Amino acid sequence: MKKYLIFVLACLMAAPSFAQKVPKVPKIKGQARIIKQQVRTLGQANALTQIPLSTLVLNNVRKVQGKVILSAPVPNIPQSSLIAERLIAQTLPPTEPFRLPLLLIDPSYEQRLAVAKQYKTTLENFQQFKKEINPVLYYQMKPSERRVLPAVEKARWVDKILAMHNQLRALNILVAPHDQPLVQANLYVQYAMETIEPNFVGLLDSGLREKRTDRKFNQKEFMMEPPKDGRLASLKNYLPYSLRLHQAANKMPAGIKMAVLNDRASALEAIQDKHKTVFCPKWEITTYHDTEALLNDIKYGRVQYDIILTDLMVPGGGGYYLTASLRHQGFGGVILAATAFQPEERLSIGLFNKGFDGMLSLPENFELNKEWPLEMMEHFNNYFYYRDLNGWKR
């Protein structure tokens, strides 16, 4: 009996106390239950599509197509891309006529109606313009989809952008600048020009005021159009082409040195070829396909030119860069722009204010027209006529 009691007492001392808690080892089933609970919580979060984006970002989550994804990095999107996408996608309805903020002082009822009608028409035209150019801007915004626009297509879009800008500019002097639909339209046109042709962005702000003091701007004179449209001028068109070509060549002043800048080899070859026979035979013509080469020749005094005929879009700078550099250096010769763009007045004023003296509106492949030497020489003669008539310095 004594031995039995000693054995029982030893067993009780070896057993753990009832007050102590033995830690439980997690079971596989318990872990699975926890995972199921997390999945259930995530599913409930996905149903809450009204969760603010700022809250999701702070919690290191993001919402994609209405679903909340945990522990995902926030995408780093460039600010410029966000602005571009907002301009392309955002559409603001026009301001109601009775809420339209006008810049007119004490306008009459008829004036309010006229401005409201112009406002409505202009913004309707803007929406149509935006609908047409949106696909081009969208793909040009994507680096993987961007392409080099052909010159003809680029010229067509620039003409449309300038036309739309003209309508908005006429509205900007009537409607207050804080009108949001008008603000959006102005920003969109600015972005469209920056995307299609960055060199022409300055034309949007050139306005109709002249900045030069050496001569007055005149669209007909700047385009070097014929000074007279009388009976005798019209009769010249019935003369044989060879005779008119000979007359135009003889009328031109002798001893002129002209540089031609163009990146198309076929155009430069045609000018050199015709120069040997009929095109400006009394002149000395040098052709360039690189802007820097022409700038360096003038900068270091290797050659002096009286006239420079330059394309506006040339690799390495083009006509704008060339003209700005030469005028900064004090170049006093004549600089003429050759472009496929239509002779729109705003474009002409922009070129005039940047230091150009005239503009030739030429087709993309002008050298394919056999009469191009005559047409170009007639424009040159018109320039010299207006120069002598108005007493221009160059």
Side-chain angles (χ1 to χ4, degrees):
M1 185 67 180
K2 185 177 181 180
K3 292 182 179 179
Y4 176 76
L5 292 175
I6 294 174
F7 174 76
V8 173
L9 183 60
C11 291
L12 290 175
M13 293 179 63
S17 174
F18 292 102
Q20 296 178 352
K21 292 184 179 180
V22 179
K24 296 181 179 180
V25 179
K27 298 181 180 180
I28 300 299
K29 292 183 179 179
Q31 292 180 349
R33 187 164 53 252
I34 294 175
I35 294 175
K36 288 182 180 180
Q37 180 63 31
Q38 292 177 347
V39 172
R40 190 180 303 112
T41 304
L42 182 60
Q44 294 174 356
N46 287 335
L48 302 176
T49 57
Q50 69 274 15
I51 296 177
L53 184 60
S54 58
T55 304
L56 299 179
V57 173
L58 291 175
N59 292 319
N60 196 24
V61 296
R62 59 176 175 167
K63 183 169 63 175
V64 179
Q65 295 182 352
K67 294 185 177 181
V68 178
I69 301 177
L70 299 175
S71 302
V74 179
N76 184 16
I77 303 176
Q79 187 69 17
S80 59
S81 298
L82 294 176
I83 296 175
E85 289 188 3
R86 184 168 65 249
L87 286 175
I88 293 175
Q90 188 180 24
T91 300
L92 296 178
T95 305
E96 297 177 359
F98 61 90
R99 297 180 181 274
L100 192 62
L102 303 183
L103 293 177
L104 302 177
I105 300 176
D106 226 2
S108 63
Y109 177 73
E110 290 76 12
Q111 288 177 324
R112 286 184 174 274
L113 287 180
V115 175
K117 182 178 180 180
Q118 182 179 348
Y119 176 84
K120 179 182 178 181
T121 303
T122 302
L123 289 190
E124 287 177 352
N125 294 339
F126 169 72
Q127 293 300 333
Q128 182 62 31
F129 162 78
K130 185 178 180 181
K131 183 178 179 180
E132 293 179 8
I133 200 174
N134 248 356
V136 180
L137 300 182
Y138 177 79
Y139 286 109
Q140 290 298 104
M141 179 183 63
K142 306 292 184 181
S144 59
E145 303 289 342
R146 190 178 301 142
R147 62 188 177 91
V148 178
L149 298 177
V152 176
E153 181 182 357
K154 187 181 292 187
R156 180 169 61 86
W157 284 122
V158 168
D159 289 339
K160 289 189 175 184
I161 294 172
L162 289 174
M164 189 68 252
H165 178 69
N166 286 341
Q167 297 183 48
L168 292 174
R169 187 180 182 279
L171 201 60
N172 289 334
I173 62 177
L174 300 173
V175 180
H178 61 268
D179 181 71
Q180 288 305 311
L182 186 57
V183 170
Q184 184 204 44
N186 287 320
L187 290 176
Y188 184 90
V189 170
Q190 181 83 12
Y191 171 73
M193 184 63 85
E194 291 175 354
T195 304
I196 299 298
E197 181 47 71
N199 292 326
F200 284 11
V201 173
L203 299 180
L204 300 182
D205 302 322
S206 60
L208 295 176
R209 293 176 295 178
E210 302 172 13
K211 299 179 181 179
R212 288 172 55 175
T213 58
D214 58 318
R215 56 180 272 197
K216 293 287 185 179
F217 175 81
N218 182 287
Q219 174 71 0
K220 185 176 182 179
E221 296 175 351
F222 189 79
M223 295 303 302
M224 299 177 286
E225 296 176 0
K228 298 178 181 179
D229 296 324
R231 183 179 178 183
L232 293 178
S234 61
L235 289 177
K236 288 184 177 180
N237 296 328
Y238 294 97
L239 297 176
Y241 170 76
S242 58
L243 179 59
R244 287 185 291 151
L245 188 66
H246 182 73
Q247 290 178 344
N250 288 338
K251 190 177 180 181
M252 302 184 71
I256 298 293
K257 292 184 179 181
M258 182 174 69
V260 180
L261 175 62
N262 199 301
D263 62 328
R264 292 193 304 110
S266 59
L268 298 181
E269 291 174 1
I271 290 176
Q272 290 287 10
D273 181 62
K274 293 298 182 180
H275 174 57
K276 300 175 182 178
T277 55
V278 295
F279 178 62
C280 303
K282 300 180 182 180
W283 291 10
E284 180 180 335
I285 298 179
T286 306
T287 57
Y288 294 85
H289 63 85
D290 181 76
T291 307
E292 290 295 338
L294 175 56
L295 281 174
N296 289 334
D297 282 351
I298 298 177
K299 180 179 179 180
Y300 296 110
R302 298 169 187 161
V303 67
Q304 294 181 350
Y305 292 111
D306 303 297
I307 298 178
I308 295 177
L309 178 64
T310 175
D311 192 3
L312 291 182
M313 292 177 289
V314 179
Y320 284 103
Y321 171 68
L322 173 70
T323 303
S325 301
L326 290 179
R327 295 307 185 202
H328 181 72
Q329 297 174 13
F331 179 76
V334 178
I335 302 179
L336 304 176
T339 176
F341 295 104
Q342 295 300 315
E344 199 266 340
E345 185 175 13
R346 178 168 297 279
L347 175 61
S348 301
I349 294 177
L351 294 172
F352 177 81
N353 289 333
K354 291 182 181 298
F356 288 87
D357 298 300
M359 172 179 165
L360 281 171
S361 182
L362 301 174
E364 175 65 19
N365 298 308
F366 70 89
E367 66 273 12
L368 300 180
N369 178 14
K370 72 172 186 177
E371 295 191 3
W372 73 263
L374 173 62
E375 295 175 357
M376 199 173 291
M377 287 191 296
E378 286 180 341
H379 280 85
F380 291 156
N381 284 327
N382 293 338
Y383 175 83
F384 290 118
Y385 169 82
Y386 289 123
R387 186 190 67 175
D388 297 339
L389 178 66
N390 298 310
W392 300 337
K393 297 180 180 179
R394 57 174 186 258

